[in-house]
Amino acid sequence: MEILKKYPKSIQWLFLLIVFFTLCNTIDIPEGYKFIRAQAEHIKDPNQVAYSFLGVEVRYYPYDTLWRLPPFIAWLPIWLNDSMDFLLNDWIPIEIYDAEIQEYETRPLILQITRIISASILFLIQAFREILIGGVETVVAFTSWDWIDANPWAELPGLPWTIVAAAAIILGYKLNGKGLAIFSAITMIYISVFGQWEPSMQTLSFVMVAAPISFLLGMVLGIWAYRRKRVEAILNPILNVMQTMPHYAYLVPIMVLFGIGDHAGAIATIIFATPPMVRLTLLGLRKVSPEVIEAGKMSGCNDFQLLFKVLIPTARRDILIGVNQVIMQCLAMAVIASFIGAKGLGWNLLLALNQLRIGLALEAGVCISLIAVLLDKMSLAWANKQTDYFANLTFFQRNKFGLFFVGSVILGLILAYVGSIMFKQGFNYFYEVPHNKGISTEAFWNAGVDWVWDTFFHSLKIFNTWLIVEVLQPMRAIYLRMPIVATFVLVMGAGYIIGGIRSALVVGGFTLFIALSPWWDRALVTAYMATFGVIVSVIIGTIVGSLCAQHNYSTKIIIAICDILQTFPSFVYLIPVMMLFGVTDTSVLIAVIIYATIPATRYTVEGLRSVPSALHDAGSMSGVTRLQRLFKIEYPLAFPHIMLGINQTVVFALFMVIIGAMIGTEDLGQYILKALSDAKGGGKGLILGLCVAFIGLAVDNLIRTWAEKRKKHLGIA
Amino acid sequence: MSSTPVIKCESVYKIFGANAGKMLQESNGNVDAKTFQESGCIVGVNNASFEVSEGEMLVVMGLSGSGKSTLLRCISKLTDATSGKIFIEGQDLSALKNKELIELRRNKMGMVFQSFALLPHKTVLENIAFPLQIKGINAKDCISKAMDMVKLVGLDGRENYFPRELSGGQQQRVGIARSLAVEPDIWFLDEPFSALDPLIRKEMQDEFLRLQGVLKKTIMFITHDFDEALKLADRIAIMKDGIIEQLDVPANIVLNPATEYVRKFTQEVPREKVLKIKSVMDPEDSSLELSELNVSKDAIIEEVAEKILSQDKPVPVIDSNKKTVGIVKPSKIIHTVFGARKEDS
């Protein structure tokens, strides 16, 4: 009784675990249960049971409901798909004048809307692209194919790479001086010399359209939510789901609505990149101190001035983080969007990965990362720029950047012309280094991979086998062995202990959705991979973070490393691990661990560093040793923040697990990937995405509630 | 002009809470903070009526939560008063349209904030030029005007610094310069020196008095520091729980506290250090023989006490034009310094 009063929570946890394991042990695996067959496939099998709902027939293997729930929402994806089809193809037909065939035709409203959106985005991307690398379609958009045929000179020639590079360097110099100029130069020259110019410019044009649209959309929504509480209340859950949905999940519905191509990729990217922008805009605006707002009002600002001259600039720090996120997401999506036909580096990278040409993939990956870092730095520098009111400048000084640019255009044109004479045979390297005609280090990397394989094959293989046989397989088996009742008891019990009945219901609701979907077993596999990744990441992250947080210098270094690593698109992480471990679960997991360790480390460092120095002093004066200080003072106080890091780790890990489907896993990701090639996969993709999101949100709910309580307890809320 | 007060409040109430308006109506102006609190309303300002005339400095003094900042925000219309009327130069504030309010703020009002409220992304110069830019004045005029302000508050050489690069005192100088940039007639200061170190605070108070000596604005100054109030004010309003307990000139507040609450503030105050000669002087009496010495009416008693006490005869009091405006007897000084305090304690 004494113990029970002293540690009520611990006893509750103990009790919960006892019930959980008893359930696991008493409920046997039903006969005929097979992992692969556990979901509703559309194969006829006499052992299956069927039901029909909303005109959708669902077949499934019936098991004891204590073991697995029947897939009562298996009709939902198909129904969703049918509804989408109906909306797109039959709903409200309207008369449209088609200029090409010069006739009126009927077209459903939604289809017309999506076509207009597609066309305008495609036009923007193409316009950028043709300025950068040439083409005719922008001109065609204003004239016609016939006109172009008659006037072949009208084709946009595209800029020589020297001019684009010079422009980037001048811009870098103007924005932030020498450092950024040098970085621009390195990026541009790397891209060109390695023969990645064309795909890079394609990707760039894609990002130049998607990023500003995401930025604007996110800002507008963020401001709207800031002004109206109700909008925020509606947006919040939507954003939650959107931010935890894996990237793939958007692709199928977008493919259905907007078709395939660069515009579809851009739309997917916009949808994915907008939520963090909304969040950070809102966060930033909320943080503006009321006195600053009052100061603005007392200066006589009207609403418009208050918003654009006071609120937004003051919230700039957070909004800039938003911009950084947008750019990061855009480049991460540049790869994933190539699944639905976005051209550029992503497509090359995907192709190279598929052919297991690691060196080639690496080069494309480095290109994407360089562009990401460059754009990020430029946008940051642009926002930090200030005006000098007192400089009394000459015409030359005022316009020197413009003059330099004009000069570089002339020089570039001359160079391109000289090039066309110099390189009579073959390619004009001063105009554009063609794809695969630049320097390639592929042979080097491939040799490297071969060498790694030759030298470490044995040890890698032993490690790989050991990990799979001794750790991963048993862990997976344990997860699959969980009867559904036991799972519910565990998650809802945890929810109850942490956050009371409300949390229990929320978490239970998320789990129920997955349990009623046809993909419960797959979700378990996803959960097992994510759990493994999270555990290892958290261990590595907290240890590295704790060590680095001990000194100012190492803190700075580790935060800088985290910053850079976070700018890499998630796909890039798959490349080196595939070099080492080939196409196995181990590769995916290691990529997951590397990727998910970033937030774990960052938040640990930030948490430990945010402990007030007065407490350090108080500790020192009480005579604590360094270790005591870490465990008695720093960890307890930093814990809520570290927990938020773990929360991020979970989301990152889930994303990577799903992306890992690219190199073959057996979880939800695989099914999302399958849905991509399924004509009726739209609904499936969405529901699968929701399943992944709900795993993330359930964990998020638990951790967040717990961290909030802890914070309140510590008085740092 | 002198007949209309610059600021005039008529039974102003500010009550926070969902159905504050309704409750106020039912209470018929008899607001009891406790009953309101029980039904979830918080009383910010409770029946405030007063006037501030041109060139006068009214200091509103109260502890935190006394409603002094809320009162100021009602008058600057950063919040709307729940009931009551506020007139700025005879204009009813509640009748103003949004556009007129903005015009009023752009041309007539300046405000300084406790936490400085500078825009972090703008330099000192840009911060000071901000209200001018908002008004739509062209960049060149803005900058030259702002530069004048920079000089006025003694920040020349730092105009291109960012607020984060300045000390607290310097930041508040920027805040003051910004509030003065549009040359407002009415100047609101919300605990401008409370966030500063004592030494800097004293320096800023002296600076402020110097500025006011030059500018002669109509001022509402909020503080929680009674000494500061005594040092600066023409008149002081002492607030508690939203109610103005006493509104009077400093000397009267010190000498005749109206309520027990006010008395608590005044009893530890060393009179000779805060009272000026003018608050203890007697009217001129031609029958009396005067001393050859004279003292300024604005001199603090402490500074001239020794001089006066060394005389047998009453000392004439002169104003800034050397004109005799009254006399002060040595016995009055002794009574003020020692006698009154005895009564109090």
Side-chain angles (χ1 to χ4, degrees), chain A residues 289 291-303 305 309-310 313-314 316 386-390, chain B residues 73 76 78 102 105-106 109 111 113-115 117 119-121 123 125-126 130-131 134 143 147 162 178 188:
Chain A
S289 96
E291 282 208 337
V292 169
I293 299 172
E294 287 178 341
K297 282 189 188 160
M298 287 310 289
S299 301
C301 288
N302 54 32
D303 284 358
Q305 286 171 324
K309 301 217 160 163
V310 178
T314 309
R316 199 178 50 165
Q386 64 174 114
T387 3
D388 185 358
Y389 293 100
F390 297 105
Chain B
R73 276 161 179 70
S76 57
L78 287 168
I102 285 173
R105 283 176 177 161
R106 283 183 182 178
M109 292 177 168
M111 184 157 168
F113 296 86
Q114 180 177 6
S115 62
L119 299 172
H121 62 288
T123 60
L125 191 70
E126 288 169 319
F130 180 72
I134 289 300
I143 296 304
M147 250 344 264
F162 280 96
R178 176 177 66 185
F188 299 116

Side-chain angles (χ1 to χ4, degrees), chain A residues 98 127 136 153 175 222 226-227 262 279 358 361 363 413 523 594 643 670 672 695:
Chain A
D98 190 330
V136 290
W153 55 268
L175 289 174
Y226 171 74
R227 300 201 128 192
D262 285 304
R279 274 276 152 77
I358 302 296
E363 279 169 12
L413 288 176
I594 299 172
M643 279 317 268
Q670 185 201 18
I672 300 180
I695 299 177

Side-chain angles (χ1 to χ4, degrees), chain A residues 127-176:
Chain A
F128 265 111
R129 190 166 287 178
E130 289 176 1
I131 289 170
L132 290 169
I133 50 177
V136 290
E137 284 177 42
T138 312
V139 182
V140 170
F142 290 110
T143 55
S144 70
W145 282 108
D146 295 340
W147 189 82
I148 282 286
D149 285 341
N151 304 281
W153 55 268
E155 180 183 336
L156 285 176
L159 293 168
W161 74 269
T162 45
I163 295 180
V164 179
I169 294 166
I170 292 170
L171 190 65
Y173 187 78
K174 185 182 153 96
L175 289 174
N176 207 16

Side-chain angles (χ1 to χ4, degrees), chain A residues 10-325:
Chain A
S10 311
I11 300 291
Q12 283 176 350
W13 281 111
L14 199 66
F15 177 71
L16 178 68
L17 286 179
I18 291 170
V19 174
F20 172 69
F21 283 114
T22 324
L23 278 171
C24 282
N25 280 321
T26 45
I27 299 170
D28 283 328
I29 306 175
E31 248 176 75
Y33 167 74
K34 268 189 199 152
F35 162 62
I36 298 302
R37 286 216 189 137
Q39 60 278 306
E41 296 284 351
H42 294 275
I43 11 161
K44 305 257 172 172
D45 184 326
N47 291 331
Q48 281 177 327
V49 194
Y51 72 89
S52 221
F53 187 75
L54 286 172
V56 180
E57 196 197 14
V58 179
R59 310 180 139 269
Y60 66 97
Y61 294 91
Y63 296 119
D64 187 354
T65 44
L66 292 179
W67 173 251
R68 294 286 189 264
L69 294 181
F72 278 143
I73 56 167
W75 53 271
L76 187 60
I78 299 161
W79 178 81
L80 263 179
N81 212 51
D82 291 347
S83 322
M84 211 141 66
D85 262 2
F86 169 75
L87 279 180
L88 209 54
N89 297 324
D90 300 309
W91 193 58
I92 316 188
I94 49 170
E95 293 275 308
I96 300 291
Y97 180 72
D98 190 330
E100 265 171 45
I101 49 173
Q102 304 198 332
E103 256 175 48
Y104 280 95
E105 58 175 5
T106 46
R107 195 180 280 169
L109 179 67
I110 302 278
L111 188 65
Q112 178 62 19
I113 292 172
T114 60
R115 282 207 179 175
I116 291 171
I117 296 174
S118 302
S120 28
I121 288 181
L122 193 60
F123 171 76
L124 285 175
I125 296 176
Q126 234 141 25
F128 265 111
R129 190 166 287 178
E130 289 176 1
I131 289 170
L132 290 169
I133 50 177
V136 290
E137 284 177 42
T138 312
V139 182
V140 170
F142 290 110
T143 55
S144 70
W145 282 108
D146 295 340
W147 189 82
I148 282 286
D149 285 341
N151 304 281
W153 55 268
E155 180 183 336
L156 285 176
L159 293 168
W161 74 269
T162 45
I163 295 180
V164 179
I169 294 166
I170 292 170
L171 190 65
Y173 187 78
K174 185 182 153 96
L175 289 174
N176 207 16
K178 237 180 251 162
L180 195 54
I182 291 172
F183 187 72
S184 303
I186 292 173
T187 307
M188 288 298 160
I189 291 170
Y190 173 92
I191 291 171
S192 189
V193 165
F194 281 80
Q196 304 278 8
W197 191 257
E198 191 180 338
S200 292
M201 291 305 114
Q202 283 172 339
T203 299
L204 196 62
S205 57
F206 169 90
V207 173
M208 300 266 250
V209 173
I213 295 179
S214 300
F215 171 74
L216 284 179
L217 208 63
M219 273 279 255
V220 169
L221 285 174
I223 291 165
W224 197 25
Y226 171 74
R227 300 201 128 192
R228 308 217 185 279
K229 274 262 176 317
R230 192 174 299 163
V231 175
E232 192 197 349
I234 295 168
L235 268 181
N236 211 15
I238 299 176
L239 291 179
N240 273 339
V241 173
M242 282 176 82
Q243 279 190 294
T244 37
M245 281 260 262
H247 310 61
Y248 283 146
Y250 293 111
L251 297 186
V252 206
I254 284 167
M255 208 161 68
V256 173
L257 287 171
F258 298 98
I260 286 181
D262 285 304
H263 58 280
I267 290 166
T269 307
I270 291 165
I271 293 177
F272 203 79
T274 305
M277 188 69 216
V278 181
R279 274 276 152 77
L280 283 155
T281 307
L282 187 59
L283 182 80
L285 291 176
R286 281 277 144 77
K287 273 207 304 213
V288 175
S289 96
E291 282 208 337
V292 169
I293 299 172
E294 287 178 341
K297 282 189 188 160
M298 287 310 289
S299 301
C301 288
N302 54 32
D303 284 358
F304 187 79
Q305 286 171 324
L306 193 67
L307 187 62
F308 287 96
K309 301 217 160 163
V310 178
L311 281 170
I312 292 176
T314 309
R316 199 178 50 165
R317 262 184 71 86
D318 289 291
I319 293 177
L320 276 182
I321 300 173
V323 172
N324 166 295
Q325 292 269 321

Side-chain angles (χ1 to χ4, degrees), chain A residues 536-606:
Chain A
V536 179
S537 296
V538 166
I539 293 172
I540 298 176
T542 44
I543 291 175
V544 171
S546 307
L547 288 177
C548 289
Q550 300 305 314
H551 297 283
N552 287 335
Y553 208 62
S554 52
T555 303
K556 263 188 207 144
I557 293 175
I558 196 74
I559 293 285
I561 292 175
C562 285
D563 277 341
I564 294 173
L565 287 181
Q566 253 181 348
T567 326
F568 291 170
S570 41
F571 241 92
V572 172
Y573 288 89
L574 285 176
I575 303 169
V577 291
M578 274 178 70
M579 277 167 72
L580 294 176
F581 293 97
V583 184
T584 55
D585 271 15
T586 319
S587 293
V588 178
L589 281 174
I590 290 176
V592 169
I593 290 165
I594 299 172
Y595 191 54
T597 303
I598 305 169
T601 312
R602 170 191 290 271
Y603 279 74
T604 307
V605 172
E606 283 175 358

